[in-house]
Amino acid sequence: MVRRLPEFLMIWVPLLLSAAHLISFSIWTIWISFTPSTLIPVSGWVGLHNYTAVLASRNWQIAFDNLLLFGIAFVLFSLMTGLVLAILLDQRIRAENVLRSIFLYPLAVSFVVTGTVWSWLLNPGIGIEKLVHDLGWTTFHFDWLVNRDMAIWTIVIAAVWQSSGFAMALFLAGLRSVDADIIKAAQIDGAGPIRTYWRVVLPTLWPITITVIVIQLQFAISAFDLVRALTNGGPGIATQLPALVVYDLMFQRSQLGRGAAAAVLMLLILLAVLLPYAAWRYVQRRQANHA
Amino acid sequence: MPITTTRRRLLAGSAAALALPAFARAQGAVKPRLTAISQWSAGSDGAAITALGKKFEEKGGIWQHSPVPGFTTEMMNKLRAQIIAGDPPACSQLKGPEIAAWSKIAPTVDLDSLVAAAGYEKVVAPDLAKLHKPAGKWIALPLQIYSTNMLFLSKRGMDKAKADKVPVTWADFNELAEKMKSAGMAYPLANGGTRPDDGQKFEASFAGISPTAYRTAIMNLDKKALQGPEIKAAFAQTRKIADWCDPNVGAQPYATNLKRFVDGDMGMLIMGGWAQGVLKNAGFKFDDFTIVPGPSDNGKPVFLLNADAFIFWQRKEADLQAGQTLMAQLVMDPAIQTMYSQITGSIPVRTDVDLSGAGWSDGQRRTAAALKDAVASNQAVLSLAHNMAQENGLTAAMIDVITEYVKNKTIKPEEAVTRLADAVESSR
């Protein structure tokens, strides 16, 4: 027991401290969301007023629609790109290490940098569109960044670029852990490479896929720095996302109560993703124990 | 010989250190000290506040400035934290109606006697003075002024369009823009894509069409004026401006287009005097452009006021109080205002400062003259886009409507008018 004390302290003390922080600040935010706080937190009770005000605001409605679109598109595309990259890298090719580093590299770059760089690349006046025009294809058109209807997709592009490498790394680890004997057995049975992947290898990747989806979704919900650097919610207010709305309400508009309400709404969205995941994990573990 | 510190010596030393300020107070010999926070950390803003600090030290004070880089909001977060902790700075940057809002959450210093001694009230634009004495007493002091609707004309752009007449009214402006367009400029007006940038286009349009209607609608939030014909005309003019602006800027600042402006690919720019400093830093010369008051339909200059200021927070310490007095005197001093504005490209708050000498640009002289004229004809109004007309919450709600209108050309002016009135109503 004495020997295990240091380990016990190392793990549990920080864990308990973080949990206490998380829970106390969440409760504090929930409390603020029911008060008439503006510049500084004040006590008082306004009921659901802050929530109805946020839900009725155009900014939040746009942000919520954008979140749905961005969340789904971003997760799907980064999963697909990551999986394809992982399968290609899995073919025991030369220079695999170099390629893997290149694909993982964007992950090492902060989202602010990603956003800034892509905001230049996607700017029709100076970026890709101009490059193609200068090459001679003058009818080429790619102005999504400044197009209200398409701007949200530029955020998807930049976010997928950033985190496909992460999905790839996880998938690659999964692919490498598939038992070589099973693959050999499939080959002996006469399955081609595509059939082998589709029927034998990929089904073993489900747990990894779910993990990647959950991690990417919680990123999508809390996305802030990327959007701030890339479009800053524009053109106009077309690419608002919930985190931008929270920041805007709290620190630009000095409406702490409404900002807290928006933050709590974000927390609820996050729980809507995490709770089913936790339930799924629970069921998985029980099945594993029964087996 | 190694220095040995006994516990007793340490205790005695710290006790002496703790007693020192009290001892100094008892002696009556306090050295004025000022703790200040601002957002001015770099560029001409940083240089100007550093120069102000030097003057403070020359007068025998201790200058403790903590800049919070970034925007006003970042500075406000630090201010908020310090106020909640019960330790506000002796003075902090704060401007517009936020002075009134923040003064309600912590006690401020009554500066009336200092302002009276300096004869300051007579030389400050009335609308500006009101902001700094929200409850009838001066609690904050404006430091420098910009007009957000100055019109910058590119020399090369004017040559290209073969134009030599400076536009006075919006009709003149529109004519010149068309002329520049036919001379081959795809976008006659240099612009950025940020929220304040869009807000500036609208407020310049509105105040230029009718400063009176602007005052009742935007500053006083009068319901009828918010749906009046002038505001509709303002949105229509804003749309014209938007059509002459490069839509490719995305969310980038106006400075992105400054080179195209100087080169004559874009002939005009509507911006505050701070653009002078940015142009100068980018290596351009004053011969490259002219600065005149923005379009005004009645011919008399309209001045959209944007003023930086300091608010003074109550402190019990004698040295901080002495520091506040010294700081207030410095801020109101014509020589200091001259020094400050010459560094940043703004104009002094005092309307009685002579700008004819060296060190001032023609643009600054014209801006100062415009302020004088505008005050005389009651056409100096407060800028919405730069948080002078309303508190942040209301401003942001209104700018939402404006920025969406500027970027979305399917929204009709009358629709925008309704949306703006709704936005005001729902955030009251």
Side-chain angles (χ1 to χ4, degrees):
Chain A
M1 184 62 211
V2 176
R3 267 191 48 164
R4 290 191 52 188
L5 197 61
E7 286 99 325
F8 179 81
L9 287 177
M10 294 262 278
I11 297 167
W12 283 101
V13 172
L15 201 64
L16 281 176
L17 275 176
S18 337
H21 263 91
L22 187 77
I23 292 167
S24 57
F25 282 127
S26 303
I27 292 175
W28 173 251
T29 308
I30 293 169
W31 158 244
I32 293 294
S33 73
F34 289 105
T35 66
S37 302
T38 51
L39 274 179
I40 52 170
V42 293
S43 54
W45 184 260
V46 290
L48 289 172
H49 175 75
N50 286 328
Y51 288 89
T52 49
V54 168
L55 287 171
S57 76
R58 214 175 136 65
N59 262 326
W60 178 265
Q61 285 158 6
I62 292 175
F64 189 75
D65 291 350
N66 279 341
L67 177 62
L68 279 183
L69 196 151
F70 170 67
I72 293 170
F74 160 67
V75 170
L76 274 183
F77 285 126
S78 65
L79 268 185
M80 273 163 24
T81 334
L83 186 59
V84 169
L85 288 176
I87 291 177
L88 292 178
L89 271 186
D90 194 32
Q91 309 309 310
R92 314 275 162 188
I93 48 171
R94 248 189 306 170
E96 188 199 308
N97 284 336
V98 177
L99 288 173
R100 204 169 48 202
S101 311
I102 292 175
F103 293 141
L104 259 180
Y105 177 72
L107 200 67
V109 180
S110 89
F111 272 108
V112 175
V113 177
T114 305
T116 311
V117 171
W118 278 96
S119 79
W120 291 98
L121 282 176
L122 293 168
N123 186 312
I126 47 181
I128 295 170
E129 184 177 299
K130 182 163 187 304
L131 179 79
V132 178
H133 282 193
D134 290 350
L135 288 174
W137 184 5
T138 49
T139 50
F140 177 80
H141 209 60
F142 186 52
D143 67 345
W144 288 7
L145 186 71
V146 295
N147 180 328
R148 283 175 308 110
D149 301 322
M150 300 306 286
I152 188 75
W153 291 100
T154 64
I155 297 172
V156 175
I157 293 174
V160 167
W161 176 82
Q162 169 104 356
S163 50
S164 293
F166 167 70
M168 175 205 75
L170 289 192
F171 280 132
L172 193 59
L175 290 175
R176 290 284 152 86
S177 66
V178 175
D179 195 343
D181 291 342
I182 302 179
I183 298 174
K184 275 209 188 99
Q187 280 166 347
I188 291 167
D189 283 347
I194 294 175
R195 209 176 150 82
T196 312
Y197 265 104
W198 192 247
R199 284 295 172 85
V200 180
V201 180
L202 291 187
T204 62
L205 290 182
W206 266 119
I208 290 176
T209 313
I210 301 282
T211 311
V212 174
I213 290 178
V214 170
I215 293 176
Q216 306 281 57
L217 265 183
Q218 66 88 24
F219 158 70
I221 292 165
S222 59
F224 176 77
D225 33 8
L226 177 68
V227 197
R228 182 126 170 119
L230 187 58
T231 63
N232 200 7
I237 49 175
T239 52
Q240 285 289 349
L241 281 177
L244 282 181
V245 175
V246 172
Y247 178 81
D248 198 42
L249 283 171
M250 283 195 173
F251 301 121
Q252 308 276 348
R253 312 193 177 191
S254 300
Q255 292 174 322
L256 278 185
R258 283 190 198 184
V264 173
L265 289 174
M266 268 181 77
L267 183 67
L268 292 178
I269 300 173
L270 202 58
L271 286 179
V273 172
L274 289 182
L275 286 182
Y277 175 65
W280 177 79
R281 283 291 300 269
Y282 178 73
V283 171
Q284 287 266 309
R285 239 197 335 254
R286 277 191 54 160
Q287 279 171 352
N289 286 345
H290 280 285
Chain B
M1 190 188 133
I3 300 166
T4 50
T5 311
T6 64
R7 189 186 287 177
R8 182 178 298 178
R9 212 182 278 172
L10 201 66
L11 270 174
S14 41
L18 281 172
L20 207 59
F23 179 72
R25 261 202 300 277
Q27 296 289 301
V30 288
K31 210 172 165 173
R33 178 168 70 96
L34 193 80
T35 48
I37 59 175
S38 80
Q39 71 181 83
W40 302 309
S41 59
S44 57
D45 288 329
I49 189 114
T50 307
L52 178 61
K54 287 244 167 65
K55 292 281 173 196
F56 190 87
E57 280 166 352
E58 274 170 30
K59 300 271 177 192
I62 303 169
W63 176 254
Q64 296 175 327
H65 175 229
S66 331
V68 185
F71 300 100
T72 321
T73 41
E74 265 93 8
M75 191 280 308
M76 282 183 182
N77 291 333
K78 180 157 166 65
L79 180 60
R80 191 190 327 266
Q82 283 193 245
I83 286 178
I84 291 173
D87 179 31
C91 84
S92 65
Q93 169 210 357
L94 207 64
K95 66 183 231 186
E98 292 299 309
I99 292 170
W102 285 76
S103 71
K104 285 178 200 137
I105 63 172
T108 49
V109 179
D110 178 358
L111 302 167
D112 269 359
S113 55
L114 288 168
V115 169
Y120 200 50
E121 182 131 18
K122 286 186 290 280
V123 295
V124 177
D127 272 322
L128 196 58
K130 241 184 270 168
L131 288 175
H132 299 86
K133 40 177 200 172
K137 285 188 185 313
W138 284 83
I139 56 168
L141 293 171
L143 180 67
Q144 59 172 351
I145 290 183
Y146 292 108
S147 174
T148 67
N149 65 332
M150 295 310 285
L151 180 62
F152 290 58
L153 296 165
S154 159
K155 277 273 163 69
R156 262 158 243 159
M158 293 291 273
D159 290 347
K160 224 184 231 178
K162 297 197 175 55
D164 49 8
K165 222 182 92 210
V166 167
V168 176
T169 64
W170 278 117
D172 299 344
F173 174 93
N174 296 344
E175 199 182 309
L176 179 58
E178 280 302 334
K179 219 169 168 182
M180 288 177 164
K181 195 155 184 181
S182 3
M185 281 174 231
Y187 308 114
L189 199 71
N191 65 299
T194 61
R195 295 164 58 94
D197 206 284
D198 294 335
Q200 264 176 272
K201 306 278 181 294
F202 171 76
E203 69 185 10
S205 304
F206 195 2
I209 287 167
S210 166
T212 321
Y214 180 90
R215 193 188 303 267
T216 34
I218 303 296
M219 289 164 60
N220 303 337
L221 301 177
D222 179 80
K223 251 189 187 163
K224 238 178 90 193
L226 270 169
Q227 292 173 322
E230 292 94 347
I231 199 165
K232 203 180 128 191
F235 271 113
Q237 177 63 39
T238 308
R239 174 58 43 75
K240 278 188 190 155
I241 293 177
D243 285 339
W244 287 318
C245 288
D246 185 354
N248 294 337
V249 293
Q252 285 159 16
Y254 74 96
T256 317
N257 278 330
L258 281 182
K259 191 179 178 312
R260 291 163 82 189
F261 163 75
V262 172
D263 288 347
D265 297 332
M266 296 175 141
M268 298 187 272
L269 165 75
I270 295 175
M271 197 43 66
W274 56 84
Q276 288 181 79
V278 181
L279 280 160
K280 214 162 88 182
N281 277 340
F284 299 120
K285 294 188 189 65
F286 284 134
D287 309 338
D288 290 325
F289 56 92
T290 331
I291 306 175
V292 295
S296 161
D297 282 352
N298 62 19
K300 284 178 280 182
V302 168
F303 198 101
L304 274 157
L305 270 166
N306 176 25
D308 290 308
F310 275 122
I311 184 167
F312 292 72
W313 302 101
Q314 251 178 45
R315 299 291 313 213
K316 287 197 183 69
E317 299 85 338
D319 55 341
L320 287 179
Q321 287 176 353
Q324 287 173 330
T325 306
L326 177 57
M327 178 68 171
Q329 284 162 344
L330 282 178
V331 169
M332 292 185 285
D333 184 343
I336 299 285
Q337 293 203 351
T338 300
M339 176 202 78
Y340 206 94
S341 288
Q342 284 185 346
I343 298 175
T344 61
S346 62
I347 61 164
V349 178
R350 299 184 69 113
T351 47
D352 62 344
V353 173
D354 177 23
L355 273 67
S356 59
W360 297 102
S361 73
D362 280 340
Q364 280 167 306
R365 287 188 197 111
R366 286 205 194 94
T367 312
L371 177 61
K372 227 176 204 171
D373 291 353
V375 170
S377 57
N378 200 22
Q379 302 207 126
V381 290
L382 300 170
S383 159
L384 174 72
H386 289 269
N387 298 314
M388 293 291 289
Q390 297 296 341
E391 279 177 27
N392 284 345
L394 250 165
T395 305
M398 288 162 96
I399 300 278
D400 275 350
V401 176
I402 294 167
T403 191
E404 214 185 349
Y405 172 81
V406 169
K407 305 281 178 5
N408 182 352
K409 293 180 181 173
T410 61
I411 303 174
K412 303 224 162 43
E414 44 276 22
E415 237 174 297
V417 171
T418 320
R419 283 193 190 185
L420 189 71
D422 287 348
V424 169
E425 206 44 53
S426 67
S427 47
R428 261 206 246 234

